[in-house]
């Protein structure tokens, strides 16, 4: 296993190249090793085909207990589930039913949440409750729920059916923070974990924050638990999310530093209060911009964290540094569309950020009747959607002009 003395992002790019050449062992994931290095799992029988330039700082090491990849961790229970179902159905087993068995799921404690396209074929109905008991046993769960399509009600209410168990409340732990919610009433989005980690590291000690779209506390809780915020005003209009947030605040012992405003954030009765405002709504948080300007402290201003989905034309394929290329690997890598963490700032992103800064500046000048300045501090790419749409976060500093 070569351990690269380089930053993780570059190691990830090298991993993509080695995957194309089918040199990596998919059972294990890229992992940190002592000395600030990163290890890539190379197939032992492929070591002779590994061609890296002498300038590449690497060495071969053997890790006794490498970290399994997520796909490999799920493969064993998924295979067990298929074997158990094949046994139950006997001669009725078919390729159609094979495709109908889920290969992935979400796990929340002792509850597994299946996708909407699983177990749709008619033969499953004959198994009745035995089907869900078998699923739970194979996947090591006590409760089973199946997802439907999200309701178009403005609150992204999930259509989830609890097929085994009596209670949909679950607990999920991210970065030492305990989130709780009812899977039949609220959604949990694991895709924004990078942004939750980022806001948890922001220097918010002593600050008052307003979270305009708090949900179950995706960002409210990291701001309180890790970032050191003095107080958070959390705005949410979904009654089920409000209850989940209330429970989450108590679970993490921060309920005394948060006030929940239940209702439409556009009608929030709060002025001149915040050092920082989080606008975590996609595809656009634009309706909340006037409110965000109004709640910022009028004498000192603050920082807005503005979420938005930005369309981005396909980027030209990235080219590896010359010292990474070997005579056997001169072709460029394909753009997978999954460029997120550590992504370079694309021109479309910069134009959106600058246009947003100008719009916010205009709103602040109109509101306060005096000059204000805005400055782009940071653009964070959270994740990408097909085709060529990126969820971005703009950190925008807003300050009143000195007299």
């Amino acid at each position: 296993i070569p351990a690269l003395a380089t930053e993780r992002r570059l190691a990830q790019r090298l991993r993509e190249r080695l995957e194309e050449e089918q040199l990596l062992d998919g059972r294990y994931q890229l992992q940190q090793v002592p000395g600030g290095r990163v290890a890539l799992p190379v197939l032992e029988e492929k070591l002779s085909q590994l061609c890296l330039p002498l300038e590449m700082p690497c060495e071969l090491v053997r890790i006794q207990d490498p970290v399994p990849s997520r796909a490999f961790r799920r493969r064993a229970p998924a295979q067990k589930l298929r074997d158990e179902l094949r046994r139950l159905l006997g001669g009725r087993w078919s390729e159609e039913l094979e495709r109908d068995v889920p290969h992935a799921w979400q796990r929340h404690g002792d509850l597994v949440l299946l996708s909407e396209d699983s177990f749709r074929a008619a033969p499953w109905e004959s198994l009745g409750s035995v089907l869900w008991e078998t699923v739970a046993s194979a996947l090591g769960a006590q409760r089973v729920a199946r997802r439907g399509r999200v309701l178009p009600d403005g609150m992204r209410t999930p259509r989830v059916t609890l097929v085994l168990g009596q209670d949909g409340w679950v607990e999920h732990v991210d970065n030492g923070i305990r989130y709780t919610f009812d899977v039949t009433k609220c959604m949990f989005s694991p895709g924004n974990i990078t942004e939750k980690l980022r806001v948890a590291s922001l220097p918010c000690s002593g600050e008052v924050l307003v979270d305009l779209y708090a949900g179950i506390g995706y960002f409210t809780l990291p701001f309180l638990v890790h970032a050191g915020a003095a107080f958070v005003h959390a705005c949410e209009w979904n009654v089920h999310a409000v209850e989940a947030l209330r429970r989450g605040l108590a679970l993490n012992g921060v309920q005394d530093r948060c006030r929940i405003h239940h209702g439409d954030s556009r009608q929030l009765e709060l002025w001149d209060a915040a050092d920082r405002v989080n606008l975590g709504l996609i595809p656009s948080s634009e309706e909340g911009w006037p409110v965000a300007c109004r709640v910022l402290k009028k004498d000192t201003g603050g920082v807005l964290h503005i979420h938005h989905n930005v369309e981005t034309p396909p980027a030209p394929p990235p080219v590896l540094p010359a010292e990474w290329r070997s005579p056997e690997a001169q072709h460029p890598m394909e753009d997978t569309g999954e460029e997120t963490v550590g992504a370079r700032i694309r021109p479309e992103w910069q134009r959106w950020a600058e246009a947003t800064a100008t719009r916010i500046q205009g709103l602040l000048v109109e509101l306060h009747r005096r000059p204000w300045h805005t400055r782009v501090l940071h653009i964070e790419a959270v994740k990408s959607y097909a085709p060529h749409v990126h969820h971005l976060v703009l950190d925008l500093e807003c300050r009143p002009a000195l007299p």
Side-chain angles (χ1 to χ4, degrees):
I1 304 174
L4 305 181
T6 183
E7 60 181 291
R8 190 179 182 89
R9 179 171 59 86
L10 296 179
Q12 181 63 39
R13 290 172 61 190
L14 178 58
R15 174 179 183 159
E16 292 169 358
R17 170 190 149 183
L18 296 180
E19 282 178 339
E20 288 182 357
E21 298 174 0
Q22 299 182 337
L23 300 180
L24 291 189
D25 190 337
R27 295 173 299 173
Y28 306 109
Q29 67 182 39
L30 182 150
Q31 66 187 86
Q32 298 283 350
V33 293
R37 300 175 299 169
V38 178
L40 295 175
V42 175
L43 290 165
E44 188 167 2
E45 63 272 20
K46 299 282 189 177
L47 284 175
S48 61
Q49 301 177 30
L50 187 64
C51 184
L52 294 174
L54 295 177
E55 296 80 8
M56 172 62 70
C58 66
E59 62 177 301
L60 285 176
V61 298
R62 293 192 179 275
I63 298 178
Q64 184 172 357
D65 296 308
V67 179
S69 67
R70 180 178 300 178
F72 183 74
R73 290 197 302 269
R74 285 183 168 174
R75 192 173 301 149
Q79 185 60 52
K80 181 179 179 181
L81 175 58
R82 287 193 293 274
D83 292 343
E84 289 293 321
L85 294 173
R86 187 182 291 112
R87 180 183 60 79
L88 282 174
L89 287 169
R92 291 181 291 168
W93 189 256
S94 65
E95 290 186 5
E96 177 189 5
L97 293 178
E98 176 86 22
R99 291 191 298 270
D100 216 21
V101 177
H103 297 274
W105 49 86
Q106 284 187 18
R107 180 180 296 275
H108 301 290
D110 68 352
L111 182 147
V112 291
L113 180 58
L114 306 176
S115 63
E116 61 185 283
D117 57 353
S118 59
F119 300 115
R120 293 299 185 185
W124 301 120
E125 297 178 3
S126 65
L127 296 178
S129 61
V130 174
L131 168 63
W132 308 120
E133 292 167 358
T134 302
V135 171
S137 175
L139 302 185
Q142 298 295 321
R143 297 175 291 166
V144 179
R146 186 167 62 180
R147 188 195 307 278
R149 295 193 179 277
V150 175
L151 296 175
D153 57 1
M155 300 185 189
R156 292 186 59 77
T157 302
R159 186 185 285 119
V160 172
T161 303
L162 195 65
V163 294
L164 182 67
Q166 303 298 319
D167 183 0
W169 280 92
V170 298
E171 187 173 311
H172 189 94
V173 180
D174 267 347
N175 194 25
I177 297 174
R178 299 167 66 186
Y179 298 87
T180 185
F181 59 100
D182 185 339
V183 295
T184 67
K185 307 293 185 184
C186 299
M187 289 188 63
F188 184 85
S189 176
N192 60 18
I193 179 62
T194 58
E195 181 63 7
K196 286 188 287 187
L197 291 171
R198 190 178 77 91
V199 302
S201 67
L202 293 174
C204 301
S205 178
E207 293 186 349
V208 174
L209 283 94
V210 172
D211 190 355
L212 284 181
Y213 310 100
I216 67 171
Y218 292 120
F219 302 113
T220 295
L221 290 173
F223 275 126
L224 288 167
V225 175
H226 292 310
F231 198 87
V232 173
H233 293 274
C235 309
E236 177 55 44
W237 67 351
N238 184 332
V239 63
H240 304 295
V242 166
E243 175 60 19
L245 175 58
R246 185 186 65 78
R247 295 190 185 196
L249 291 167
L251 275 175
N252 292 278
V254 292
Q255 65 272 29
D256 293 338
R257 292 159 48 210
C258 181
R259 177 185 173 188
I260 299 176
H261 300 261
H262 181 201
D264 190 336
S265 62
R266 291 170 296 185
Q267 309 301 321
L268 177 65
E269 294 187 1
L270 193 66
W271 297 267
D272 186 25
D275 300 290
R276 195 180 295 263
V277 183
N278 192 65
L279 298 106
L281 181 67
I282 54 173
S284 175
S285 61
E286 191 167 347
E287 287 192 350
W289 294 0
V291 182
C293 292
R294 172 161 50 83
V295 299
L296 274 180
K297 291 181 177 178
K298 65 181 182 180
D299 293 330
T300 56
V303 176
L304 306 183
H305 301 286
I306 303 173
H307 291 236
H308 197 80
N309 282 357
V310 177
E311 292 190 20
T312 311
V319 180
L320 288 172
E323 65 270 19
W324 282 29
R325 299 197 297 270
S326 66
E328 292 79 17
Q330 291 293 334
H331 59 281
M333 297 185 297
E334 295 181 358
D335 183 6
T336 63
E338 293 299 322
E339 185 180 10
T340 53
V341 180
R344 62 180 178 82
I345 303 302
R346 298 183 178 181
E348 295 80 11
W349 303 356
Q350 189 67 41
R351 286 195 290 270
W352 164 75
E354 291 171 357
T356 300
T358 300
R359 286 276 310 280
I360 295 293
Q361 182 183 31
L363 290 172
L364 288 165
V365 169
E366 181 181 358
L367 175 67
H368 297 290
R369 303 296 179 184
R370 59 172 172 152
W372 277 66
H373 300 303
T374 55
R375 182 167 66 98
V376 174
L377 298 177
H378 178 73
I379 301 171
E380 180 75 11
V382 179
K383 59 184 176 182
S384 61
Y385 300 90
H388 315 301
V389 177
H390 288 79
H391 173 186
L392 305 181
V393 181
L394 166 63
D395 295 351
L396 185 67
E397 185 179 44
C398 307
R399 304 292 182 192
L402 295 175

